[in-house]
Amino acid sequence: MSKGKSVFRCTECGADQPKWGGKCDACGEWNSLVEEPIGKKVGRSEGWKETAAVPVQLSNLPTNSVARYRTGLAEFDFVLGGGIVPGSVTLVGGEPGIGKSTLLMQCAARLEAQGVATLYVSGEESPDQLRLRADRLEEDAGGIHVLGETRLESILHYATQLKSSVVLLDSVQTTYTEELEGAPGNVGQVRECAARLMRFAKESGPAVLLVGHVTKGGGIAGPKTLEHIVDTVLYFEGETTLDHRILRAVKNRFGSVDEIGVFRMTGRGSSPSRTLRRHSSQAVARARPAPRLPR
């Protein structure tokens, strides 16, 4: 059998090189090149084709502000700038066990209680395991549609079929598309899945929230282009010996990145604490500084 073709792709900038090297020729980072199979060809472009998108003047667009989805978790909405923007993609990163999945399930439960159709997709837990998580929450999560799936095509199909207004995906590193070769989590799969989810959000309208794993260096696993693709990047962090967590934005196209939200972790999930955010300088000092996005 002939060996499949592959390239060496930089995890920092996404540039391709025909052979491995210690340093990326494009961005200058060391030890950032990983081997990746070349994806399947989807056909050659035949030039311009008519699409639904056409150029418009900004002055002809309505000036009405977009109605956001407010989760009811005050600190979460506060960090986002007033709630979840329809058609946006938000990436929530954090260390394992910090409470990312619990926080997003609480958001889904509160949105569903308001009549906002939600779909919670997990590639790491089965629906039965998600039920165990939901049973211990203070919120009633019984109305959430859950899906144990890692194939992107199936996720988009069910999100469209259910007419979901908010899709929560846990996590983007476990998701793969059949259009590319390679295992879930590699550079190409993460980048392509994020790009297709972004197109789905912009074209169909639902808001998409992605969970991202964090590396030992404190950054979200996968190519740095992942953080450039999405609209908002949040980090959920804190000390394991303390009962509070801090949510901070390092990128937000729809709000400020100068605010933080503080949550108190309990046996029934996380509860927002405005008082702790305003008066606990110790909580802020103990939090690990969020990594800066490259310019």
Side-chain angles (χ1 to χ4, degrees):
M1 295 179 64
S2 60
K3 184 178 179 181
K5 295 183 179 180
S6 61
V7 296
F8 290 88
R9 184 161 290 154
C10 177
T11 58
E12 295 295 322
C13 67
D16 296 341
Q17 293 185 190
K19 61 181 181 179
W20 185 87
K23 182 180 180 180
C24 174
D25 294 336
C27 66
E29 287 291 328
W30 288 89
N31 300 319
S32 62
L33 297 177
V34 295
E35 187 175 9
E36 182 181 329
I38 297 178
K40 300 176 182 177
K41 295 182 179 179
V42 296
R44 296 180 61 182
S45 174
E46 298 179 358
W48 178 83
K49 292 183 179 180
E50 184 177 0
T51 64
V54 294
V56 295
Q57 283 187 313
L58 287 176
S59 59
N60 293 332
L61 296 176
T63 57
N64 298 334
S65 60
V66 177
R68 301 184 182 224
Y69 300 128
R70 293 186 177 272
T71 65
L73 289 171
E75 296 293 273
F76 189 81
D77 294 337
F78 176 75
V79 174
L80 285 176
I84 302 172
V85 176
S88 66
V89 180
T90 300
L91 179 63
V92 182
E95 296 178 352
I98 205 69
K100 303 182 298 297
S101 301
T102 299
L103 176 64
L104 292 188
M105 181 165 283
Q106 288 182 266
C107 292
R110 288 171 175 256
L111 289 169
E112 194 70 44
Q114 301 172 35
V116 180
T118 60
L119 174 63
Y120 189 100
V121 184
S122 178
E124 302 178 350
E125 296 177 287
S126 67
D128 291 334
Q129 292 171 327
L130 293 175
R131 174 61 189 270
L132 293 176
R133 180 192 299 275
D135 286 344
R136 65 180 177 83
L137 296 180
E138 182 178 355
E139 294 84 356
D140 180 10
I144 304 173
H145 284 88
V146 297
L147 175 65
E149 180 61 78
T150 57
R151 192 168 69 96
L152 180 63
E153 288 75 14
S154 295
I155 295 170
L156 297 180
H157 167 75
Y158 284 112
T160 302
Q161 186 182 67
L162 294 171
K163 298 181 179 179
S164 303
S165 297
V166 178
V167 179
L168 304 100
L169 179 57
D170 185 7
S171 64
V172 66
Q173 281 88 5
T174 62
T175 308
Y176 74 96
T177 173
E178 293 181 337
E179 294 185 1
L180 287 180
E181 298 177 353
N186 69 26
V187 176
Q189 287 285 0
V190 171
R191 183 172 55 188
E192 180 63 21
C193 288
R196 288 190 60 185
L197 286 166
M198 173 64 81
R199 290 197 298 270
F200 172 70
K202 302 305 180 187
E203 295 173 0
S204 302
V208 178
L209 284 81
L210 309 175
V211 171
H213 297 306
V214 169
T215 64
K216 292 181 179 179
I220 295 178
K224 277 295 180 184
T225 50
L226 171 62
E227 299 186 23
H228 294 295
I229 290 173
V230 301
D231 297 305
T232 305
V233 180
L234 307 179
Y235 277 84
F236 198 48
E237 53 198 15
E239 292 287 344
T240 56
T241 56
L242 301 177
D243 63 351
H244 67 260
R245 301 289 185 267
I246 294 178
L247 182 70
R248 61 172 88 231
V250 297
K251 174 185 178 181
N252 191 354
R253 289 175 177 161
F254 313 111
S256 173
V257 294
D258 297 327
E259 307 290 354
I260 65 170
V262 179
F263 297 81
R264 187 179 299 277
M265 301 301 294
T266 67
R268 305 196 65 183
S270 57
S271 59
S273 176
R274 285 183 177 272
T275 303
L276 187 59
R277 169 165 58 85
R278 291 171 179 170
H279 302 292
S280 179
S281 58
Q282 180 183 8
V284 179
R286 285 178 177 270
R288 184 183 67 250
R292 292 180 175 271
L293 293 179
R295 294 185 179 275

